[in-house]
Amino acid sequence: AHAFLSNNDKDLLIGNFIADHLRGNDFKAYPEKIIEGILLHRRIDTFTDAHPEFKKSKRLFYDGFEKYSGVLVDIYFDHLLAKNFERHSTIPLTEFSKNVYAIYTDHSHLIPQSSARFLEYVLQNNIYTSYADIKGIEQVLNHLSHRIKHKSQLDDSVKLFHKNKEELENNFNHFFSDILKEFT
């Protein structure tokens, strides 16, 4: 969603991509437009965390995953966007992903090391396209489970996703309509 909400602006896209790997507010090393992308990412996160549909969706994962419910909803909402990408974009997800990956690769000199490792993972696993399939989501959640300190198997949350799929899709549609109004 962050890449999609960068509105095909390469600098916003780069800033949006690296934002999660930057701490504090010292962005002197980056051009102004990339800083705009970093700040856009943070505004999107703030908007998302405060949105009522996002909050309702988090509650659906409280049974066993309360601590990670926000991360899970973020990932499942990305899945719902990818799965229904043609509803929101005039270009197919595969083409969108390919274009975004090319921009990331062409501007890799601007990407910090922590983001570079994540970029390598994204490219090797074609993450943006793989998000359209629930198996891709399971793979990402399994990988994430091995990276977190608490012993939680996040891919087990797929059962809750399936159980609450209709409600999650409804919540996502309302949420995404609002986020598009806010950021496009």
Side-chain angles (χ1 to χ4, degrees):
H2 282 284
F4 185 79
L5 294 170
S6 294
N7 299 308
N8 296 313
D9 181 305
K10 68 177 178 58
D11 293 319
L12 290 180
L13 186 65
I14 297 297
N16 227 328
F17 183 76
I18 66 174
D20 275 338
H21 298 107
L22 301 175
R23 301 290 167 242
N25 294 309
D26 183 10
F27 309 126
K28 290 186 285 234
Y30 299 102
E32 188 176 322
K33 285 287 285 181
I34 290 179
I35 294 170
E36 284 180 41
I38 295 166
L39 298 176
L40 172 63
H41 182 105
R42 291 180 177 184
R43 286 194 330 270
I44 290 168
D45 282 354
T46 299
F47 178 91
T48 299
D49 291 342
H51 197 280
E53 300 297 332
F54 188 83
K55 289 179 177 181
K56 275 196 315 195
S57 297
K58 283 175 54 174
R59 285 194 221 65
L60 299 173
F61 292 96
Y62 280 4
D63 186 15
F65 302 98
E66 184 172 359
K67 180 175 180 147
Y68 300 104
S69 61
V71 171
L72 291 172
V73 173
D74 225 9
I75 291 171
Y76 286 116
F77 274 15
D78 279 345
H79 163 66
L80 294 170
L81 172 60
K83 188 177 105 165
N84 301 297
F85 198 75
E86 70 284 350
R87 289 184 193 166
H88 307 287
S89 178
T90 57
I91 65 169
L93 178 60
T94 52
E95 185 179 336
F96 173 82
S97 300
K98 186 175 139 194
N99 293 342
V100 169
Y101 298 160
I103 291 169
Y104 291 158
T105 303
D106 291 347
H107 296 83
S108 60
H109 62 283
L110 295 169
I111 295 177
Q113 190 58 42
S114 55
S115 295
R117 285 189 299 274
F118 180 60
L119 176 58
E120 187 176 310
Y121 174 76
V122 167
L123 297 174
Q124 284 177 350
N125 294 284
N126 191 14
I127 291 299
Y128 293 175
T129 301
S130 76
Y131 265 37
D133 185 332
I134 199 66
K135 292 288 182 205
I137 296 299
E138 283 182 281
Q139 179 185 356
V140 166
L141 291 173
N142 185 286
H143 177 81
L144 188 56
S145 295
H146 296 294
R147 293 184 54 228
I148 59 177
K149 291 178 177 70
H150 302 91
K151 301 291 184 223
S152 187
Q153 206 55 43
L154 298 178
D155 48 320
D156 288 344
S157 69
V158 170
K159 295 173 193 135
L160 290 172
F161 171 77
H162 285 301
K163 177 181 173 188
N164 298 293
K165 187 175 181 181
E166 191 175 314
E167 184 175 353
L168 284 164
E169 286 178 335
N170 188 48
N171 294 352
F172 169 76
N173 290 334
H174 286 98
F175 163 79
F176 205 67
S177 175
D178 289 347
I179 206 167
L180 287 174
K181 289 176 197 163
E182 186 72 21
F183 293 101
T184 58

